[in-house]
Amino acid sequence: MSNYELMKEFARYYGFSDPELFESEKRVAENVLKPVGITLEELSRGGYARIDRPFRIETTSGKVEFVSQRRRLRGVPDFPDLEEFNTQKQNDDGMLRLLSVTYGDTISSQYHNTLLKDEKRIFISPKDALKLGLNEGDEVIVFNENGKVFTKVHIDNSLSEGCAFMYKAFWKSIAGFTVNELTSDDVVKQFGFQAAYHSTYVKVEKKN
């Protein structure tokens, strides 16, 4: 369900009756747009609208800091040591590094209910397809120690050998599964406990 519907369900479940929690979607949109002087009708006609408002980056320098001074004060290096965090597995074991990226027409898990389509294939390189004996459109099992999903293969010339990707956040009610059934919950403590989703490895085998 959408975030809007989810929040209303939470409110009902916990017994909240504040009218603000049950405003219509149109009213919510109007209230969000009102402070910046844009009407919902104007936005609907054009699809987008320019907002003229001051913007200040809240850093010591007032600029975007690619090298963060606050991070230095915490004793964290400016950039990760790629050798230290390299978890590449041997190519001969048939494992592919799975990247899970956001679909171009959505914001993570938002707007799937309005988009009403999915892209659940796994994208692999021509070299990996040849090595694994796979052809375009083959039905496959993608699996690792975390779980498995059933999908189809799309061969993509832009991918490097050893890498594969699938789109994240498609609703299970639409796609039938989510890529999170394969990703781990590991984090990298040295870099703000960020998730290590892209250190996920999978095997891809043709479905019998």
Side-chain angles (χ1 to χ4, degrees), residues 87 89 95-100 142-146 162-164 179-186 195-203:
T87 57
K89 300 191 178 183
M95 301 294 280
L96 300 177
R97 181 192 287 266
L98 181 66
L99 308 179
S100 48
V142 184
F143 64 97
N144 59 16
E145 65 276 12
N146 300 315
C163 283
V179 75
N180 284 350
E181 293 174 42
L182 301 168
T183 56
S184 77
D185 57 1
D186 292 341
Y197 296 135
H198 302 311
S199 292
T200 294
Y201 289 83
V202 296
K203 281 193 173 184

Side-chain angles (χ1 to χ4, degrees), residues 132 134 139-143 153 203-208:
L132 298 170
L134 297 173
E139 294 187 351
V140 294
I141 305 171
V142 184
F143 64 97
V153 161
K203 281 193 173 184
V204 182
E205 293 183 357
K206 191 170 183 176
K207 187 179 176 183
N208 294 326

Side-chain angles (χ1 to χ4, degrees), residues 1-2 109-113 169-178:
M1 64 177 65
S2 67
S109 63
Q110 297 185 49
Y111 304 118
H112 293 279
N113 57 314
F170 272 102
W171 293 6
K172 193 168 184 176
S173 60
I174 295 174
F177 64 82
T178 73

Side-chain angles (χ1 to χ4, degrees), residues 91-157:
N91 289 332
D92 59 6
D93 67 3
M95 301 294 280
L96 300 177
R97 181 192 287 266
L98 181 66
L99 308 179
S100 48
V101 300
T102 298
Y103 192 69
D105 294 334
T106 64
I107 301 176
S108 197
S109 63
Q110 297 185 49
Y111 304 118
H112 293 279
N113 57 314
T114 55
L115 188 66
L116 293 179
K117 66 177 181 178
D118 64 65
E119 174 52 271
K120 56 187 179 183
R121 297 175 296 177
I122 183 166
F123 292 60
I124 64 174
S125 73
K127 289 184 178 179
D128 287 317
L130 182 63
K131 187 187 304 182
L132 298 170
L134 297 173
N135 298 302
E136 176 69 25
D138 278 351
E139 294 187 351
V140 294
I141 305 171
V142 184
F143 64 97
N144 59 16
E145 65 276 12
N146 300 315
K148 63 182 176 181
V149 300
F150 298 90
T151 187
K152 292 184 178 181
V153 161
H154 175 59
I155 301 172
D156 190 319
N157 291 315

